[in-house]
Amino acid sequence: MRYITTPIYYVNANPHIGHAYTQIAADVYSRYHRLMGRQVYFLTGTDEHGEKIARAAAEQGKTPKEFVDMGAENFKMLWKTHNIENDQFVRTTDPEHKESVKEIVRRLISGGYVYKGVYEGLYCVSCETYFTETQVEEKLCPDCGKNLEKLGQESYFFKLSAFSEKLIKHIEENPQFIMPKSIRNEIIGFLQQELIDLSISRQDVSWGVSFPADDSHTVYVWFDALINYISAIGYPHDMARFGEVWPAKIHLIGKDILKFHAVIWPAMLMALDLKLPETVYAHGWWMIEGGKMSKTAGNSVDPLELIEEWGIDPFRYFLMRQVCFGEDGNYSLEQFISRYESDLANDLGNLLSRVVSMLIKYQPEYDLSDSLELESKLKELATELDALYDDMKFNLILEKIWELVREANVYVESSAPWRLAKEDPATLNLVMTNLYETLSALAWFIYPFMPETSQRMNKDLGLSKDYESGEFSWPSGGDFSGVSKGAVLFPKKQ
Ligand code: MSP
């Protein structure tokens, strides 16, 4: 079972391309493995507790419950427009999740991992995070730059410090645990400093899961939120189901929340005596003109506007193609348009349109007798891409697919079917069959990234493929009989 998760999104956030990015990557990954007939379970959801949410609700004159219900619906709708096929949507206000959090805290208490103390620190309400004096300058949050509040309060602590050696050992012995490799040393370095225990309860936050054994406290939102990855699949109320799905294959996250996932979360799992996820994969950050995107700066990119104007598939394609997964990326509309026009409209769109027009015009006969070379090339490509999917090398996968698109365009030019139609009908049959089979393979290859485009290509080719599951197969099973011309795949906008 490939269990893949995304972070659960703060329900008060205005979704921007950064959120869409994690989500689309997880969707591409799951669609591909489903296509290959492998078992996948894809979880996403919303993070709904904490002071920040309660304040945002009050500002809108709503109760926290009304506010989070609305926010969760908003995210669900958003993911529909992105064609995200998640198996489950978890909310931290789900009764089962809250019960699970309580039971986990109880187990940690009885295991001796929790004690009562006093927490003094600088707290950022916006990021729900405490910082020590050494981490900050001028009492400003190092993450969001807002003012920090000095808080000293009674709190329950999780003995995080007890796990540093075990964590270092795990990371060193399991090179795939933190990906990409470039960020592993950052976490090892962090663990080699003195790890401090984690305050896991708040007295001043009422919108949260009440702390077992002391209901004057609520559970710290990050502690609550991380538990979603196991509460959603049945821990501890349905252990049979839990056993089928856990451990996670991949926790997909942004690099800003790596410490929560590569330090705190595995320590919690160790304390519960549970297996650790196989990989925590941290992707890079999307920026605008080299700077951070934010609502306050007024520069955040709204995915819905882009999707409305250009369609969902170009948006999915751009995010996956533009940067190497794991590295930061710079968003600009010019780059988006340039990818749309060159890769999509000129390369892929034109190829389909030309080949389909020629099939209709010249009425060649389907003849596979000169396709051996193409067959082995496509099969090799399918094997090569399979390995790249495991490393989440989405941009490389698309690069390889587009090499095939461009080669096919060159093949059209060099074989000149318009000449063959007059001079050599037998060769025309062979050439058009190769082009037809290339397009059918392309529809299969691009499916995880651009499911709608893939379907439209198959329709034009007269292939009724729904891709429920099925590895790459040769030949397509179609002949030319069902070919028809649909609307232009990627219309140019002028
Ligand atoms: N609620 C927490 C996650 C809890 S998981 C147990 C949270 N939520 S978030 O909504 O702020 O962010 C969710 C994800 O979006 C993070 O992985 C974050 O990295 C990602 N992104 C938010 N802005 C981003 C960009 N500008 N670029 C890329 N991803 C970014 O953190």
Side-chain angles (χ1 to χ4, degrees):
M1 170 70 79
R2 285 163 191 263
Y3 176 34
I4 179 164
T5 67
T6 70
I8 49 173
Y9 302 94
Y10 287 127
V11 82
N12 58 321
N14 241 8
H16 56 63
I17 61 169
H19 303 111
Y21 187 50
T22 324
Q23 211 63 12
I24 291 170
D27 190 58
V28 169
Y29 179 90
S30 358
R31 277 180 189 266
Y32 174 72
H33 288 294
R34 281 195 205 109
L35 190 58
M36 293 295 284
R38 298 168 187 155
Q39 269 196 311
V40 174
Y41 199 78
F42 171 9
L43 176 75
T44 189
T46 37
D47 194 349
E48 305 186 3
H49 286 132
E51 195 52 22
K52 195 166 51 170
I53 309 278
R55 283 190 197 175
E59 275 165 25
Q60 291 190 13
K62 295 201 161 59
T63 64
K65 174 80 176 111
E66 285 166 346
F67 180 78
V68 297
D69 283 350
M70 227 176 55
E73 276 316 303
N74 190 20
F75 270 99
K76 284 185 188 167
M77 255 168 44
L78 185 77
W79 301 144
K80 275 215 175 86
T81 61
H82 285 62
N83 276 338
I84 304 297
E85 283 189 337
N86 51 296
D87 293 289
Q88 195 182 339
F89 190 97
V90 62
R91 300 177 53 185
T92 52
T93 53
D94 287 339
E96 278 184 347
H97 170 79
K98 292 197 282 187
E99 270 317 305
S100 171
V101 172
K102 286 187 192 169
E103 182 54 26
I104 286 170
V105 174
R106 274 186 219 112
R107 288 184 187 189
L108 294 178
I109 293 173
S110 60
Y113 292 110
V114 175
Y115 63 90
K116 196 174 184 178
V118 172
Y119 190 83
E120 279 188 356
L122 295 164
Y123 188 64
C124 175
V125 176
S126 203
C127 301
E128 314 262 16
T129 310
Y130 271 98
F131 296 94
T132 56
E133 303 273 356
T134 52
Q135 288 172 306
V136 303
E137 283 167 26
E138 297 182 10
K139 294 206 175 167
L140 295 179
C141 172
D143 288 341
C144 73
K146 290 189 186 149
N147 282 324
L148 296 169
E149 292 172 25
K150 185 150 192 156
L151 293 182
Q153 57 170 311
E154 178 188 89
S155 177
Y156 290 87
F157 285 80
F158 170 57
K159 286 187 186 164
L160 186 60
S161 57
F163 294 93
S164 38
E165 272 168 34
K166 266 179 99 174
L167 286 168
I168 293 177
K169 188 163 178 276
H170 185 82
I171 296 169
E172 284 176 345
E173 284 173 2
N174 297 275
Q176 84 299 340
F177 182 61
I178 300 176
M179 293 283 285
K181 294 187 187 90
S182 51
I183 54 175
R184 190 177 311 141
N185 285 346
E186 188 189 311
I187 292 295
I188 294 188
F190 175 76
L191 286 167
Q192 278 162 345
Q193 295 163 16
E194 202 188 345
L195 201 56
I196 53 171
D197 290 340
L198 180 74
S199 156
I200 57 162
S201 78
R202 299 285 181 264
Q203 266 185 321
D204 54 348
V205 178
S206 57
W207 180 242
V209 179
S210 90
F211 200 81
D214 189 345
D215 60 12
S216 66
H217 290 237
T218 54
V219 177
Y220 170 46
V221 278
W222 262 103
F223 210 72
D224 167 358
L226 287 163
I227 289 171
N228 90 85
Y229 299 130
I230 55 175
S231 73
I233 52 163
Y235 186 86
H237 46 278
D238 185 350
M239 289 306 282
R241 180 162 171 248
F242 178 70
E244 279 166 22
V245 184
W246 191 255
K249 176 90 179 156
I250 297 183
H251 286 318
L252 197 59
I253 56 164
K255 63 178 186 179
D256 54 318
I257 54 176
L258 180 62
K259 277 182 200 153
F260 290 101
H261 286 82
V263 177
I264 298 174
W265 178 230
M268 288 164 70
L269 291 166
M270 284 172 174
L272 291 166
D273 218 3
L274 294 176
K275 286 189 184 145
L276 302 197
E278 196 175 309
T279 299
V280 173
Y281 201 119
H283 64 66
W285 198 260
W286 278 93
M287 298 193 281
I288 302 265
E289 286 156 13
K292 233 176 161 176
M293 233 183 287
S294 78
K295 217 160 58 166
T296 23
N299 64 356
S300 79
V301 181
D302 181 355
L304 289 179
E305 278 175 24
L306 274 176
I307 294 169
E308 202 166 305
E309 176 153 13
W310 301 89
I312 179 62
D313 280 0
F315 180 61
R316 290 172 63 110
Y317 175 81
F318 175 78
L319 291 184
M320 294 296 105
R321 174 67 187 81
Q322 193 65 6
V323 294
C324 172
F325 204 65
E327 287 168 22
D328 289 345
N330 223 334
Y331 173 82
S332 85
L333 187 60
E334 290 76 48
Q335 283 170 348
F336 179 88
I337 295 176
S338 140
R339 286 263 173 226
Y340 180 92
E341 291 188 341
S342 67
D343 301 8
L344 298 179
N346 289 348
D347 293 344
L348 182 63
N350 259 349
L351 177 68
L352 178 76
S353 155
R354 290 176 90 185
V355 172
V356 166
S357 297
M358 291 191 290
L359 285 168
I360 293 172
K361 191 166 169 197
Y362 305 137
Q363 298 285 314
E365 276 170 32
Y366 185 84
D367 183 351
L368 267 181
S369 52
D370 188 36
S371 300
L372 222 63
E373 204 182 308
L374 179 65
E375 175 183 355
S376 62
K377 186 160 101 181
L378 295 177
K379 285 182 176 166
E380 260 169 44
L381 180 61
T383 311
E384 205 182 338
L385 299 189
D386 196 46
L388 292 173
Y389 269 105
D390 266 334
D391 288 342
M392 301 223 146
K393 298 274 182 226
F394 301 120
N395 66 320
L396 267 184
I397 295 173
L398 287 171
E399 244 175 63
K400 301 243 171 245
I401 299 174
W402 253 254
E403 274 169 27
L404 181 65
V405 175
R406 295 198 180 105
E407 274 171 31
N409 275 321
V410 170
Y411 182 65
V412 171
E413 289 304 320
S414 63
S415 54
W418 44 92
R419 230 179 7 246
L420 297 174
K422 288 187 213 138
E423 297 164 7
D424 186 355
T427 308
L428 176 75
N429 294 342
L430 303 175
V431 167
M432 292 313 293
T433 304
N434 282 340
L435 286 167
Y436 180 87
E437 288 301 331
T438 303
L439 279 169
S440 152
L442 283 169
W444 188 89
F445 287 134
I446 66 162
Y447 167 79
F449 297 89
M450 299 198 282
E452 285 182 8
T453 305
S454 162
Q455 251 178 8
R456 291 176 60 193
M457 289 176 70
N458 277 326
K459 193 155 175 280
D460 281 13
L461 298 173
L463 297 166
S464 56
K465 295 205 167 166
D466 56 11
Y467 292 143
E468 281 292 286
S469 93
E471 290 186 27
F472 176 68
S473 64
W474 171 273
S476 61
D479 46 29
F480 302 149
S481 58
V483 171
S484 66
K485 193 146 194 175
V488 173
L489 278 189
F490 304 104
K492 288 221 173 142
K493 321 231 168 187
Q494 230 86 175

